[in-house]
Amino acid sequence: MQPKAIILDTDPGIGSPGSDVDDALAIVLGLLHPGCELLGLTIVAGNVPLEEGVPNTLRLLEIAGRPEVPVVPGAERPLLRDPRPIRELMASRRRQTVERFWDLPPFAPPRLSAAPGRAAEFIADAVRSRPGEITIVAIGPCTNIATALLMDPAVAASVAEIVLMGGAIRVPGVVTPAVEFNFGYDPESVAVVLASGAPVTLVPLDVTTRTFMLPEHIERLAAVGTPLHRFLAETSRPWLRFAMAVRELRGFWLHDPLALAYAVDPAILTLTPMHVAVDLGGELTAGQLLGYPESGRFLRPAPGPINARVALDLDEPRFMELFLTTLG
Ligand code: BDR
Ligand code: CA
């Protein structure tokens, strides 16, 4: 079977104290899965600022022995919004998390360098050069994707699929009860992607919060014993302690690996076509995703036609099997 050509757009916190590590697990899944031709990793500010996300990614590729994969820096800030309020909230949580759960020394700077150019151009050039062939999987705020679509509207017609991890439709968010992180960080970019006419698939918290990296999974990774597996296990343990103590979960959520896994094995998710709208106004609701799965259910009709396929259900055992077998 021909591997799928994928650009993974990411905001990897791995190596940064107090940050989610799931982007790194998605990257490694993309590096190791035979069904994925990873064309490049484009970096966006989100979980961590760009100046941390780029070296975090380069360090991961160095440890994985995959220096040939291009790492292309992208947006340093959301399309329109001032990122300072959300960054302040994150900095304060980071301080508390680091104090209570982190026991890792700082990592050495990577020896690899970033590729020349910027993420949005890289995405637009790649998609235009292989019409209908490239899937974009965005597992951070989708600023780079929106920028590529605004720069070159032909991208919408040429891309095979845009998979966005983000939003929450029938479950609570994590930024506020209504808002998931990636969509809350840059809501205007979500609106641009949804309005572009590109084939969009959404992987919201509705499905990602049904996936767990359990303590025994981390120890299984550690037991593989390669430098990459030891690094993943070492960096995952503090985030696991945070998820168990503060979020009272039995493991940490595998949001981003689920989005990548869907791209290589679509049967993992059940998709419902619907109109989705993103709220841009409210202080506590900007970034909230509103889904209109059934026409006629609401007094006020959907504000537009079907613009996305949304994952509301998943085959969790199938996902975990793919994830653990590929990584392990
Ligand atoms: C998203 O936010 C980040 O913490 C994760 O990496 C994921 O992309 C989930 O809300
Ligand atoms: Ca992410």
Side-chain angles (χ1 to χ4, degrees), residues 11 20 22-23 47 139-140 165 174 180-182 205 255-256:
D11 59 341
D20 199 340
D22 69 333
D23 288 79
N47 265 331
I139 55 175
M165 187 282 125
V174 285
E180 180 278 334
F181 176 76
N182 290 341
L205 295 184
H255 311 282
D256 296 346

Side-chain angles (χ1 to χ4, degrees), residues 175-326:
V175 178
T176 73
V179 180
E180 180 278 334
F181 176 76
N182 290 341
F183 283 16
Y185 194 86
D186 188 355
E188 285 75 15
S189 284
V190 181
V192 168
V193 176
L194 289 173
S196 69
V200 175
T201 302
L202 299 181
V203 184
L205 295 184
D206 301 64
V207 282
T208 65
T209 55
R210 288 159 63 188
T211 62
F212 292 97
M213 184 79 166
L214 301 173
E216 58 262 38
H217 298 146
I218 297 178
E219 295 323 310
R220 209 167 126 177
L221 276 188
V224 178
T226 69
L228 173 64
H229 289 88
R230 283 204 307 271
F231 179 68
L232 292 177
E234 195 185 4
T235 44
S236 290
R237 285 189 196 107
W239 184 249
L240 175 77
R241 288 197 284 272
F242 160 75
M244 293 176 88
V246 177
R247 293 186 169 159
E248 299 182 348
L249 300 172
R250 54 200 169 89
F252 63 76
W253 291 317
L254 291 166
H255 311 282
D256 296 346
L258 182 62
L260 195 281
Y262 157 76
V264 294
D265 179 9
I268 282 176
L269 296 178
T270 307
L271 303 176
T272 307
M274 64 178 88
H275 178 78
V276 284
V278 61
D279 182 69
L280 300 176
E283 196 190 330
L284 302 176
T285 56
Q288 179 179 11
L289 196 60
L290 297 125
Y292 291 82
E294 299 98 10
S295 56
R297 176 166 161 184
F298 303 101
L299 176 62
R300 185 167 159 163
I306 289 173
N307 57 357
R309 297 183 306 158
V310 183
L312 292 178
D313 203 0
L314 83 160
D315 185 340
E316 187 267 350
R318 186 178 177 119
F319 163 64
M320 285 312 289
E321 167 72 19
L322 180 146
F323 175 71
L324 294 171
T325 314
T326 309

Side-chain angles (χ1 to χ4, degrees), residues 29-55:
L29 195 58
L31 291 172
L32 300 183
H33 196 283
C36 175
E37 179 196 358
L38 199 54
L39 301 178
L41 296 164
T42 50
I43 315 300
V44 65
N47 265 331
V48 287
L50 200 72
E51 63 269 21
E52 284 183 47
V54 172

